[in-house]
Amino acid sequence: MSFLVGSLFAVIRGKDPSAVAVLMEDSAAVLGVIIASFSIVLTHLTGNHMYDALGSIAIGGLLGSVALFLIQRNSDALVGRSMHPDRLQEIVDLLEGDRFIHSVHDVKATEMGQSVRVIRFHLKYATSLRLIQVLILCGSRQKSM
C-alpha cells in the first residue's frame, strides 16, 4: 500500500518530468495489456466480437488520457513556473544582508525543471563601491547560490 501511495505522490508532486512520464507510460502499458487480455478472453468465451472492440476503445481512451495528463503536467517544465515565494525571499534577504548592496528591486525567478532556476533582479549598490568590488561580489554570490 505504501508503494502505491509513494508512486501516486511521485506523479502528483514529482519535479522530474521524465520520471513522471516513464511511470505513467509504463503504468498505461501494463493496464492496457490487462484490458486487452480481458477483452480477448471475453471475446473467445462468448464469441461476441463486441468485447474486442470495447477493449480497443478502452485502451485508446487510456492512452489518450495519459497523453493529456502528461501534456498538462509537463507544460510547467517547458514554460517554467514561479519559484516558491519563501525561497525567493531567502535569496533577497541574502543579497540585502550584504554590506555592498543597498537594495534589491524587480526580482523575477522561474524554475525551469528539476534543478535549473533563472533569477533576475536589479541591485542598487552602496555608493562607495568600486567596479572591481562589484565584479568580485557578483562572482562570489554566483558560487554561493
Side-chain angles (χ1 to χ4, degrees):
M1 182 68 174
S2 65
F3 173 74
L4 182 62
V5 171
S7 299
L8 185 61
F9 182 77
V11 169
I12 293 172
R13 300 280 185 203
K15 290 191 174 190
D16 185 10
S18 60
V20 172
V22 167
L23 181 65
M24 290 298 295
E25 290 169 355
D26 289 351
S27 299
V30 169
L31 191 56
V33 168
I34 292 170
I35 292 171
S37 299
F38 278 125
S39 64
I40 289 171
V41 167
L42 285 173
T43 299
H44 181 71
L45 291 176
T46 63
N48 188 351
H49 294 284
M50 178 188 68
Y51 295 113
D52 190 32
L54 288 175
S56 296
I57 291 170
I59 291 170
L62 173 69
L63 294 176
S65 62
V66 167
L68 289 175
F69 173 79
L70 289 176
I71 289 169
Q72 184 273 332
R73 175 72 176 71
N74 292 337
S75 65
D76 285 343
L78 296 173
V79 177
R81 63 179 156 212
S82 297
M83 185 181 288
H84 194 275
D86 293 339
R87 178 65 179 140
L88 190 59
Q89 189 59 46
E90 286 178 27
I91 294 170
V92 170
D93 291 343
L94 176 73
L95 290 170
E96 287 180 338
D98 194 287
R99 64 186 175 124
F100 293 118
I101 297 175
H102 184 267
S103 59
V104 181
H105 303 281
D106 194 25
V107 180
K108 304 271 190 276
T110 305
E111 291 182 344
M112 303 293 291
Q114 185 177 7
S115 61
V116 177
R117 292 171 183 86
V118 177
I119 304 171
R120 183 184 64 87
F121 47 82
H122 293 161
L123 299 176
K124 183 175 180 183
Y125 292 104
T127 55
S128 62
L129 198 59
R130 296 189 183 126
L131 178 60
I132 190 67
Q133 292 170 314
V134 171
L135 295 175
I136 292 170
L137 175 67
C138 290
S140 67
R141 287 292 174 218
Q142 186 178 29
K143 290 176 187 173
S144 68
M145 290 184 193

